[in-house]
């Protein structure tokens, strides 16, 4: 206990001396009684301090790092600071009782005190009843802990602030006394100082201003010019040092010099302002147009002793003004020429200001309306408009005025005899160099006769359209009747063929022998009836394509799988192999698309080379356009299907012929068929807004190329004129 007390005392003593509480401590060792007395002294010093002195022991975690502190001791001021008795916090955690003493990085600083023996001296502010209280904080190491001293410095800070206020008040009082006791000489000095400040401000403003600022000392005839004078007129600063008013006056144009000097002298003599326009010579000999202004400064006896002023170079503005005058003169001449030319035009010609105010009409306007300019200027033109056209015309005209877009409208104007005629009104804006509208020029063209003719034509077109619609309805009825007739006719045609086929087979099987010569003729009769039946079925299928169908989403791979399933026997019989790409979903008529693929694949299985197993490939590619020459892309709006086989092929000069109905490239005896299958294919692809073609070389196979849109713009197929004709 004695050792801890001695160490604590030795560590806090320097800071107690700093706070002025004790000048030192004398320690004398005699015997155990002296030691007890020393301990008593230490406690007395410890508790008599006005600072809150607290001793802490470091609390370490498993890794040996300091993360908290435990109270070992605290004086009476510590009890007051914490607001509790010594026994209430002794041996407890600093983090739990006063976390504010560990905030704002203080914990890290305490660690440095304990680990590195690095003393800490800082300030902290605590808030008590919404009022800040300042403390001086001193921390020093004590064994495996530290001693913390908190000294309330709030009164000290308040005293310092009060001292500063008193000092400033004293200084103000001192200055007031100086002002009250100042003599006339001091007043002059103060005025001179103010004048010097004003002079400095004047020169700073002059340097920042774009105009030329000058200062003329009337006492010594000296002139001062701002920097812009040298920049604009080209004179050197060395030359300007010796400048007097004579230099300025000598460079005024001789035709204006006497009048300018007279006005300056008059302003000085009357203490009035001076404004004058004149020409001043530059260093290169040229003259600049100047707008000069000046004011005279006099003393309390009205004696002028100074004149200050400014010069503005108005050369460019005067040049622009003269150019504007010339431009206006030129514009006026052009307007006269414009008026002269427009008076001979058959149209009504007019012009307005940018705001729409009508300020010009040609002679044709007055001749047609019979009105004067006073009656039709501004918005007076509205009085000759047909009442039914006025609101519409004003709306269109206001839109053009607001947006600058060209003006165009058809309306009716009342002629001087009260008759209304149709006119086509047009106007365009004339813009200046900055793109702003300077004027509107417009014309009104008489289109009454043309309008009447158009109305007559529209009436004729309407009547003709009604006739076409009526004819179209009749044609649709005829198509319906034709479809019904085709269905009935095909049934009636197929019925006798069916009997011929059946009875022929009965005669062949029951009454004819293989060696009999009639057998050959009977086979021909049976085959002919079968071909006739197929021909009737194909013709009926071809005619039914003109019926309207709805497009729907179709999975091409599913359609091809169904076609290959139907042709399974032919594929096995021929020993064919078929390779199919992964095909997308498109919008189409499923039954028609199935018929297209079945016709082409059936042809590939039919027209094969002897002793060569058929190989058919179906490949897909995307295109950006509906064109046979388009290049494949990664993603597109169109699908190209290429169906390639290794069959007998054909001469490519017949590529277009094979899609014509009843056209065959091979004899019926050699290859069966009616010659309608590819015609049906072409018709279906056309109705799907696509393209189909074929390429081939004899003996090397064929390729059928089909291009179809992935999405159909219309939701259904409409029969075309060619389809109706085909029916």
């Amino acid at each position: 206990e004695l050792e801890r007390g001695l160490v604590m005392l030795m560590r806090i003593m320097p800071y107690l001396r700093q706070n002025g509480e004790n000048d030192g401590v004398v320690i004398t060792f005699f015997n155990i009684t002296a030691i007890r007395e020393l301990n008593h002294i230490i406690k007395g010093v410890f508790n008599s301090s006005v600072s809150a002195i607290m001793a802490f022991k470091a609390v370490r975690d498993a890794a040996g790092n300091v993360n908290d502190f435990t109270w070992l001791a605290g004086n009476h001021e510590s009890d007051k600071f914490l607001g509790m008795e010594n026994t209430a916090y002794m041996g407890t955690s600093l983090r739990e009782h006063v976390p504010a003493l560990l905030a704002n990085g203080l914990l890290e600083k305490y660690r440095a005190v304990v680990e590195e023996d690095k003393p800490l001296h800082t300030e902290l502010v605590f808030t008590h009843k919404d009022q800040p209280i300042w403390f001086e904080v001193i921390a020093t190491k004590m064994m495996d802990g530290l001693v913390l001293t908190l000294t309330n410095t709030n009164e000290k800070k308040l005293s310092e602030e009060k001292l500063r206020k008193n000092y400033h008040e004293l200084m103000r009082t001192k200055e007031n006394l100086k002002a009250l006791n100042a003599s006339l000489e001091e007043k002059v000095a103060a005025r001179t100082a103010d004048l010097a400040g004003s002079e400095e401000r004047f020169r700073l403003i002059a340097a920042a201003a774009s105009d030329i600022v000058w200062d003329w000392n009337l006492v010594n005839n000296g002139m001062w010019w701002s920097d812009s004078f040298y920049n604009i007129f080209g004179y050197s600063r060395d030359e300007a040092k010796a400048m007097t008013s004579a230099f300025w006056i000598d460079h005024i144009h001789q035709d204006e010099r006497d009048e300018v000097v007279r006005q300056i002298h008059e302003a000085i003599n009357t203490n009035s302002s001076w404004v004058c326009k004149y020409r001043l010579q530059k260093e290169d000999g040229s003259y600049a147009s100047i707008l000069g202004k000046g004011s005279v400064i006099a003393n309390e006896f009205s004696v002028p002793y100074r004149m200050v002023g400014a010069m503005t170079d108005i050369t460019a503005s005067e040049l622009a003004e003269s150019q504007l005058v010339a431009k206006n003169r030129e514009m006026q001449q052009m307007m006269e020429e414009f008026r002269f030319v427009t008076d001979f035009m058959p149209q009504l010609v007019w012009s307005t200001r940018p705001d729409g105010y009508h300020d010009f009409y040609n002679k044709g306007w007055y001749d047609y309306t019979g009105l004067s300019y006073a009656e039709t200027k501004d918005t007076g033109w509205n009085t000759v408009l047909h009442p039914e056209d006025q609101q519409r015309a004003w709306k269109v005209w206001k839109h053009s005025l607001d947006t600058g877009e060209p003006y165009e409208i058809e309306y009716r104007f009342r002629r001087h005899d009260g008759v209304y005629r149709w006119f086509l009104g047009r106007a365009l804006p004339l813009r200046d160099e900055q793109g702003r509208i300077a004027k509107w020029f417009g014309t009104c063209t008489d289109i009454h006769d043309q309008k009447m003719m158009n109305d007559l034509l529209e009436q004729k077109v309407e009547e003709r359209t009604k006739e076409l619609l009526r004819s179209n309805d009749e044609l649709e009825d005829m198509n319906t009747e034709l479809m019904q007739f085709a269905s009935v006719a095909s049934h009636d045609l197929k019925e006798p063929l069916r009997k011929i086929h059946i009875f022929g087979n009965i005669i062949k099987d029951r009454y004819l022998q293989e060696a009999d010569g009639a057998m050959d003729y009977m086979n021909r009769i049976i085959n002919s009836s079968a071909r006739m039946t197929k021909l009737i079925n194909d013709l009926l299928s071809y005619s039914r394509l003109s019926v309207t169908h709805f497009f729907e989403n179709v999975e091409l791979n599913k359609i091809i799988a169904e076609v290959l399933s139907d042709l399974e026997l032919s594929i096995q019989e021929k020993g064919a192999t078929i390779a199919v790409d992964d095909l997308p979903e498109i919008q189409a008529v499923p039954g028609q698309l199935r018929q297209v693929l079945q016709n082409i694949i059936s042809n590939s299985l039919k027209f094969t080379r002897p002793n060569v197993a058929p190989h058919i490939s179906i490949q897909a590619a995307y295109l950006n356009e509906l064109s046979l020459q388009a290049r494949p892309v990664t993603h597109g709006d169109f699908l190209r299907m290429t169906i390639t086989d290794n069959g007998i092929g054909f001469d490519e000069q017949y590529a277009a012929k094979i899609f014509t109905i009843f056209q065959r490239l091979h004899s019926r005896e050699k290859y069966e068929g009616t010659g309608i299958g590819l015609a049906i294919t072409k018709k279906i692809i056309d109705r799907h807004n696509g393209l189909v073609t074929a390429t081939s070389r004899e003996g090397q196979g064929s390729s059928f190329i089909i291009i179809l849109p992935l999405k159909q713009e219309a939701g259904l197929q409409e029969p075309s004129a060619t389809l109706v004709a085909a029916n």
Side-chain angles (χ1 to χ4, degrees):
E1 182 180 4
L2 176 60
E3 180 180 326
R4 284 191 283 109
L6 288 173
V7 172
M8 184 186 304
L9 180 61
M10 285 188 289
R11 291 192 179 274
I12 67 173
M13 193 55 65
Y15 302 101
L16 293 178
R17 285 200 299 269
Q18 289 179 5
N19 292 328
E21 296 300 327
N22 298 283
D23 292 330
V25 175
V26 177
I27 303 173
T28 305
F29 295 92
F30 294 100
N31 51 28
I32 190 65
T33 303
I35 293 174
R36 290 180 177 175
E37 291 178 356
L38 177 60
N39 189 25
H40 180 72
I41 293 171
I42 292 172
K43 291 182 179 180
V45 172
F46 190 67
N47 287 321
S48 64
S49 174
V50 296
S51 301
I53 304 173
M54 293 170 275
F56 296 94
K57 179 182 178 181
V59 178
R60 301 178 181 270
D61 57 17
N65 297 320
V66 177
N67 58 7
D68 197 359
F69 292 91
T70 303
W71 261 284
L72 293 178
N75 63 353
H76 296 317
E77 290 298 322
S78 298
D79 298 345
K80 295 179 181 179
F81 173 76
L82 297 173
M84 62 181 72
E85 293 295 330
N86 186 275
T87 56
Y89 62 85
M90 195 61 61
T92 61
S93 168
L94 174 62
R95 185 186 297 275
E96 294 178 1
H97 278 78
V98 191
L101 289 175
L102 297 176
N104 300 322
L106 284 175
L107 178 59
E108 295 297 328
K109 296 177 181 180
Y110 295 162
R111 287 174 182 165
V113 173
V114 176
E115 301 292 351
E116 304 173 16
D117 196 8
K118 183 178 179 180
L120 172 66
H121 190 177
T122 184
E123 284 188 333
L124 278 180
V125 61
F126 294 94
T127 303
H128 180 66
K129 296 182 179 179
D130 298 330
Q131 294 296 326
I133 302 176
W134 287 89
F135 285 88
E136 179 184 32
V137 180
I138 298 172
T140 58
K141 181 176 180 180
M142 181 191 75
M143 291 184 294
D144 190 24
L146 56 83
V147 175
L148 195 65
T149 304
L150 283 83
T151 305
N152 189 322
T153 60
N154 215 48
E155 292 184 1
K156 179 181 177 182
K157 284 188 173 290
L158 293 175
S159 299
E160 290 176 353
E161 182 64 24
K162 185 176 181 181
L163 181 61
R164 279 194 297 271
K165 290 181 179 179
N166 291 338
Y167 173 77
H168 289 307
E169 186 66 27
L170 180 62
M171 294 303 295
R172 283 195 296 270
T173 304
K174 181 180 179 181
E175 292 299 325
N176 291 336
L177 289 175
K178 286 183 179 180
L180 291 174
N181 297 325
S183 61
L184 180 60
E185 182 178 352
E186 290 173 337
K187 288 184 179 180
V188 172
R191 183 172 181 180
T192 303
D194 292 340
L195 186 60
S198 300
E199 187 86 11
E200 182 63 22
R201 287 193 297 272
F202 169 75
R203 295 186 184 277
L204 290 174
I205 294 172
S210 57
D211 292 343
I212 300 169
V213 180
W214 49 268
D215 186 355
W216 183 8
N217 190 328
L218 300 178
V219 178
N220 58 17
N221 201 28
M223 292 288 296
W224 174 88
W225 303 92
S226 63
D227 293 341
S228 53
F229 175 79
Y230 311 113
N231 298 331
I232 294 175
F233 290 95
Y235 296 111
S236 66
R237 296 179 184 273
D238 295 337
E239 188 176 7
K241 287 181 180 178
M243 281 187 181
T244 61
S245 62
F247 181 88
W248 170 28
I249 294 172
D250 289 343
H251 285 78
I252 297 175
H253 196 282
Q254 60 180 1
D255 295 343
E256 302 160 348
R257 186 180 301 153
D258 294 341
E259 178 62 21
V260 172
V261 171
R262 185 192 67 79
Q263 293 182 17
I264 292 174
H265 289 167
E266 182 180 354
I268 293 173
N269 293 332
T270 58
N271 288 339
S272 59
S273 299
W274 167 72
V275 179
C276 183
K277 286 176 64 175
Y278 59 94
R279 287 171 288 176
L280 190 65
Q281 188 178 29
K282 294 184 177 182
E283 195 275 337
D284 59 4
S286 62
Y287 283 90
S289 295
I290 297 296
L291 174 62
K293 297 180 180 180
S295 297
V296 177
I297 301 176
N299 58 18
E300 59 270 25
F301 305 108
S302 300
V303 176
Y305 66 91
R306 191 175 179 184
M307 187 175 185
V308 294
M311 293 180 181
T312 303
D313 188 349
I314 59 173
T315 306
S317 61
E318 282 198 340
L319 178 61
E321 185 178 354
S322 63
Q323 290 177 345
L324 181 61
V325 171
K327 197 74 174 179
N328 289 337
R329 191 181 300 112
E330 181 182 352
M331 183 67 73
Q332 187 65 31
Q333 183 178 356
M334 291 176 61
M335 285 297 296
E336 293 298 329
E337 295 175 357
F338 175 73
R339 185 187 302 276
F340 179 78
V341 172
T342 56
D343 283 345
F344 292 94
M345 294 178 63
Q347 287 94 351
L348 311 182
V349 184
W350 48 271
S351 68
T352 76
R353 297 187 315 214
D355 59 0
Y357 185 98
H358 284 69
D359 56 5
F360 169 78
Y361 296 99
N362 71 334
K363 184 175 180 295
W365 171 268
Y366 302 117
D367 293 342
Y368 180 83
T369 62
L371 302 175
S372 65
Y373 172 74
E375 292 173 316
T376 55
K377 68 179 180 178
D378 191 12
T379 58
W381 60 275
N382 200 42
T383 59
V384 301
L385 268 175
H386 195 284
E388 296 177 0
D389 300 336
Q390 290 180 1
Q391 186 175 0
R392 177 173 57 88
W394 169 245
K395 184 178 180 181
V396 176
W397 176 232
K398 188 175 185 305
H399 175 76
S400 296
L401 291 177
D402 294 340
T403 63
E405 296 178 2
Y407 172 71
E408 183 170 340
I409 191 175
E410 292 182 2
Y411 40 35
R412 288 163 288 184
F413 280 162
R414 186 184 67 245
R415 202 166 55 190
H416 57 81
D417 56 1
V419 176
Y420 283 95
R421 292 183 64 84
W422 281 97
F423 281 81
L424 172 63
R426 289 176 175 170
L428 290 174
L430 176 66
R431 300 180 183 272
D432 57 19
E433 293 81 357
Q434 288 74 35
R436 296 187 296 266
I437 296 177
K439 212 170 186 61
W440 284 86
F441 290 94
T443 60
C444 297
T445 306
D446 191 331
I447 59 170
H448 188 80
D449 296 336
Q450 180 183 352
K451 183 82 171 175
M452 296 300 102
M453 184 65 69
N454 287 341
D455 291 343
L456 181 60
L457 288 175
E458 288 179 3
Q459 182 179 357
K460 294 289 186 182
V461 169
E462 184 178 355
E463 293 175 357
R464 182 60 177 162
T465 302
K466 291 180 179 179
E467 292 178 4
L468 289 175
L469 291 174
R470 185 169 59 253
S471 299
N472 191 45
D473 293 338
E474 294 174 356
L475 193 57
E476 287 184 1
D477 294 339
M478 292 173 60
N479 277 338
T480 303
E481 294 176 1
L482 188 59
M483 288 294 297
Q484 295 174 353
F485 169 76
S487 179
V488 174
S490 66
H491 180 271
D492 293 344
L493 286 173
K494 285 191 291 184
E495 182 60 29
L497 286 174
R498 213 168 17 247
K499 292 181 179 179
I500 292 172
H501 193 73
I502 293 172
F503 291 144
N505 281 320
I506 293 174
I507 293 172
K508 175 184 173 183
D509 294 337
R510 294 183 181 181
Y511 304 106
L512 298 180
Q513 303 296 327
E514 290 294 334
D516 195 346
M519 177 67 75
D520 180 53
Y521 293 108
M522 186 55 65
N523 286 332
R524 292 186 182 184
I525 292 173
I526 294 171
N527 292 336
S528 295
S529 64
R531 285 196 301 272
M532 189 63 184
T533 301
K534 182 171 177 53
L535 178 60
I536 292 171
N537 289 333
D538 288 346
L539 284 172
L540 186 60
S541 298
Y542 189 82
S543 65
R544 284 174 177 168
L545 290 176
S546 56
V547 178
T548 300
H549 295 277
F550 287 92
F551 291 115
E552 57 184 271
N553 293 330
V554 177
E555 295 181 14
L556 289 177
N557 285 105
K558 184 177 179 180
I559 295 293
I560 292 176
E562 293 173 355
V563 171
L564 296 181
S565 177
D566 293 341
L567 299 175
E568 183 178 2
L569 293 177
S570 296
I571 293 172
Q572 292 178 356
E573 180 184 346
K574 297 282 187 175
T577 58
I578 301 177
V580 183
D581 281 358
D582 186 21
L583 301 175
E585 184 181 90
I586 68 171
Q587 289 184 348
V589 180
Q592 294 181 1
L593 207 56
R594 185 183 298 107
Q595 192 171 4
V596 167
L597 294 171
Q598 185 161 351
N599 286 341
I600 296 176
I601 296 174
S602 296
N603 282 347
S604 297
L605 293 172
K606 181 193 304 181
F607 299 103
T608 60
R609 289 183 287 168
N611 302 321
V612 177
H615 177 74
I616 303 171
S617 66
I618 303 176
Q619 298 175 325
Y622 292 100
L623 306 177
N624 275 334
E625 57 181 332
L626 183 65
S627 172
L628 295 171
Q629 288 75 37
R631 294 180 176 274
V633 295
T634 305
H635 301 285
D637 297 327
F638 299 90
L639 174 69
R640 183 177 70 191
M641 282 193 301
T642 305
I643 305 173
T644 306
D645 61 50
N646 60 345
I648 62 173
F650 59 87
D651 191 340
E652 221 172 82
Q653 64 177 320
Y654 301 115
K657 181 179 179 182
I658 63 175
F659 294 104
T660 305
I661 190 168
F662 298 129
Q663 293 296 323
R664 299 172 55 90
L665 300 183
H666 305 282
S667 65
R668 184 176 293 106
E669 291 75 11
K670 190 172 182 180
Y671 296 99
E672 62 178 9
T674 61
I676 300 179
L678 290 180
I680 293 175
T681 296
K682 177 73 165 58
K683 194 171 184 180
I684 291 174
I685 297 302
D686 289 343
R687 296 207 62 197
H688 279 73
N689 304 307
L691 299 174
V692 61
T693 187
T695 61
S696 180
R697 293 183 65 182
E698 288 186 295
Q700 297 185 14
S702 305
S703 293
F704 285 83
I705 302 170
I706 300 173
I707 301 177
L708 293 171
L710 296 177
K711 302 289 184 182
Q712 296 289 346
E713 294 184 3
L716 49 81
Q717 287 182 339
E718 291 291 349
S720 62
T722 55
L723 295 175
V724 174
N727 289 335

